Amino acid sequence: MPGKGDELAVSRGEQIQAAEREAAKRRLLAEAEADRIPVEETTRAVPDRRWRRGRR
């Protein structure tokens, strides 16, 4: 039968894992934000000449 110390160890391990997951999520979000392309740059029209050149 597990004692109270075992329950605390599992709980503490789960807390550590949750903290690590949260830290990893924050790192990924920060990296994605750094790589993000502003909307102004993604909606810029491409001149017809460049578009046609790539289609031939």
Side-chain angles (χ1 to χ4, degrees):
M1 181 172 191
K4 209 169 200 171
D6 293 337
E7 290 175 9
L8 290 176
V10 170
S11 177
R12 180 67 180 142
E14 289 174 351
Q15 287 177 352
I16 291 170
Q17 287 180 348
E20 288 174 350
R21 280 193 302 273
E22 184 64 27
K25 186 168 79 172
R26 288 176 191 254
R27 281 193 303 272
L28 285 171
L29 288 172
E31 185 178 331
E33 181 64 25
D35 291 344
R36 187 178 67 84
I37 299 172
V39 160
E40 302 84 40
E41 293 182 20
T42 61
T43 57
R44 201 176 311 152
V46 177
D48 271 350
R49 292 184 308 265
R50 286 179 52 198
W51 182 79
R52 289 184 184 147
R53 191 178 333 147
R55 300 281 282 183
R56 289 185 180 165

